Every structure is written in structure tokens, then in C-alpha cells.
Amino acid sequence: MNEPLIQRHWAAIAAPKAAPAVATSTVLILGRIWNANGAEHSVGNAALMVVLAAGAATAGAFAAAGRAGDPVIAGTAFATSGGLALAGVAGYADSLPLPILLWAVATAAAYGLAARYWRTDRRDTVAYERQSTVRREEHGHIERVELLRSRTQIEVARETSTGYADALAQALTARAALPGFNPQTLTDAGLPELPTHTEHH
């Protein structure tokens, strides 16, 4: 029953790690398909890819410039520029060595960029887990303190009520032992009748 969960867990971990290689390989394959369908030595197609790649790189440069630059947009734009350049070379070249070389460079660069984001994400995850653990420990400590406090209050109340009852009983007993004390006076005043002690000879 746990095997599907374990397989899904490993798939969730492995999928992001394989994404850069899958992306660059897909671009290389599509470029070679394009090459086989008329893009080989086509100056117009090559010029189109150069323009698109340069435009994506320019967009990435603008996104990265300044203090308000967005690293995610910049990284995406640069990755798009690299992919277009790889597709253009793969489509224009008549042999595989140059496209494969560019594929290897693009894959290494993609993993370099991705590793940076993976490290940041890992640090954020570890920090969040640490904060969650600290909060759970603090809440557990507060609950234990409150439990001890409530138990102490209950014990104090119980001892106080027991002591009061004992003191009242002793006071009533001592009062009843006084000469001339008449329990009927208390009864007439509306108080409960005190028990009478019968002596056995």
C-alpha cells in the first residue's frame, strides 16, 4: 500500500531535476526535425531565430537591470534565448556535432541556473520547517504549563474547601460543647438543626 506513495514521492523529487535536460533535448529534437523539413542552410530561417534569440536576451537583460529586476523573468528570458539559439543552430547545421555541443552547453547552463533556485527553495523549506518545529514546541510547552497550573488550582481549591469544612465542623462542635448552648436557637433562626450526640452507657 505504501509503494505507490513512495513511487509518487520519488517521481515528485526526480521530475524537477530532469526538467532542464528534458527541455534542452526537446529543443534539439525539434530543431533536427525542422532541419529535415527544409531549414538546413536556410538563411531566412536562421535570421529569424537570431532575431528571436536576440529579442529574448534583450528582454532578459531589461528584466535583470536595476534594483527592481525580477530574477525569475530574467532567467526565463535568457533560457528562452538559449533555446531559440540552439533550435536555430540545430535547424541550420547539416551535421550533428555542433548542435550536440550547443545542447551540452545549454544543458549545463540550465542546470547551473536551476541549481541556484533549488538551493534557495531548499533554504526556504528548511527555514519554514525549523520555524514550524519551534512553534510546535512552544505551543506544547504552553499547554503543559497550563495543564500544571489548572491541576494546581484544582488541588488548592480542593484543599481549601476541605479545610473550610473541617474548620466549620470543629467550630460547631466547639460551640455545641459550650455551657448553656441551645441548638434549638439556631434551628429557630432558620439554620439546619445540628445533629445531637447520644451517650451510650
Side-chain angles (χ1 to χ4, degrees):
M1 183 175 180
N2 291 331
E3 286 187 8
L5 294 176
I6 294 174
Q7 291 174 355
R8 283 198 295 270
H9 176 70
W10 281 108
I13 293 176
K17 305 297 184 185
V22 171
T24 54
S25 299
T26 302
V27 172
L28 176 63
I29 293 169
L30 292 175
R32 294 312 293 174
I33 293 173
W34 188 30
N35 173 277
N37 286 279
E40 183 176 347
H41 296 296
S42 173
V43 177
N45 290 333
L48 174 64
M49 298 308 287
V50 168
V51 171
L52 292 176
T58 303
F62 279 118
R67 293 183 178 179
D70 191 334
V72 176
I73 295 177
T76 303
F78 285 128
T80 302
S81 176
L84 291 170
L86 174 60
V89 172
Y92 183 82
D94 56 356
S95 60
L96 278 176
L98 181 58
I100 290 177
L101 176 63
L102 287 179
W103 169 83
V105 172
T107 302
Y111 272 105
L113 291 173
R116 178 182 176 185
Y117 294 108
W118 291 337
R119 284 193 299 270
T120 302
D121 184 64
R122 179 61 182 165
R123 282 197 300 267
D124 293 343
T125 302
V126 170
Y128 175 77
E129 291 176 353
R130 187 178 295 118
Q131 291 175 357
S132 299
T133 301
V134 170
R135 283 196 296 268
R136 282 196 299 269
E137 290 177 355
E138 289 178 352
H139 291 164
H141 176 69
I142 293 172
E143 289 177 358
R144 288 191 294 272
V145 169
E146 291 298 327
L147 180 61
L148 290 175
R149 182 180 301 171
S150 63
R151 288 179 178 175
T152 303
Q153 291 175 348
I154 291 172
E155 290 297 327
V156 169
R158 184 179 300 165
E159 291 176 0
T160 301
S161 62
T162 303
Y164 176 77
D166 292 342
L168 180 61
Q170 291 175 3
L172 291 175
T173 303
R175 184 69 183 266
L178 293 175
F181 175 72
N182 185 8
Q184 187 62 34
T185 304
L186 294 178
T187 304
D188 295 340
L191 296 177
E193 183 179 356
L194 293 176
T196 58
H197 298 279
T198 57
E199 296 182 358
H200 296 282
H201 299 285

